[in-house]
Amino acid sequence: MQGASPTVAGVAFLARPGRPAVVTRTLTELTGPTRGVVELPVRLMWNADRTFDLGDPDQLLWLYENVLRETTRAEDLRQLVDGRTLRRVWRLLNLPRGVRQAWESRHRALRTA
């Protein structure tokens, strides 16, 4: 199953110029880890230190922000983001406007999270 890039009037929401935001069809398919340490692949974060302790709330937010902003693959979202956790931290995430709009247009539950 491919990820989708929601649109308004046929124009994709952009994570940044030239890059459409990637959004999964459902939040339940997001089955990433909820504890432990996660290392992001270089394609999602170019920093030498790409490890995140999910027990640290700030590191969890930083991980989710990077994945949601940088991914071009729905599979990254499924493997690295947990749907329940995403809903819980949604309002705390510092995301580009296009990413936030794309997710909220597809998943209305995030608008009120």
Side-chain angles (χ1 to χ4, degrees):
M1 176 189 327
Q2 289 294 323
S5 297
T7 62
V8 169
V11 177
F13 293 115
L14 299 179
R16 62 177 150 180
R19 180 179 288 181
V22 178
V23 179
T24 55
R25 295 190 195 310
T26 69
L27 294 177
T28 57
E29 69 189 274
L30 300 173
T31 58
T34 58
R35 64 181 93 175
V37 175
V38 174
E39 182 173 356
L40 289 182
V42 173
R43 72 178 178 278
L44 296 178
M45 186 170 201
W46 307 282
N47 193 346
D49 183 11
R50 299 183 313 273
T51 59
F52 299 85
D53 179 353
L54 299 180
D56 180 322
D58 292 332
Q59 288 188 33
L60 172 73
L61 295 175
W62 183 229
L63 171 84
Y64 276 34
E65 290 164 357
N66 277 282
V67 172
L68 293 171
R69 183 181 60 246
E70 298 298 333
T71 192
T72 59
R73 307 172 182 187
E75 192 58 32
D76 288 335
L77 296 167
R78 291 184 197 102
Q79 292 178 352
L80 296 167
V81 176
D82 174 71
R84 287 184 191 155
T85 303
L86 178 63
R87 187 163 185 206
R88 179 175 52 82
V89 301
W90 182 249
R91 289 286 161 221
L92 302 173
L93 295 172
N94 183 13
L95 297 169
R97 180 177 298 142
V99 173
R100 189 169 295 281
Q101 289 173 328
W103 280 86
E104 288 181 358
S105 74
R106 172 63 55 88
H107 303 292
R108 295 185 190 275
L110 293 177
R111 292 182 190 175
T112 60

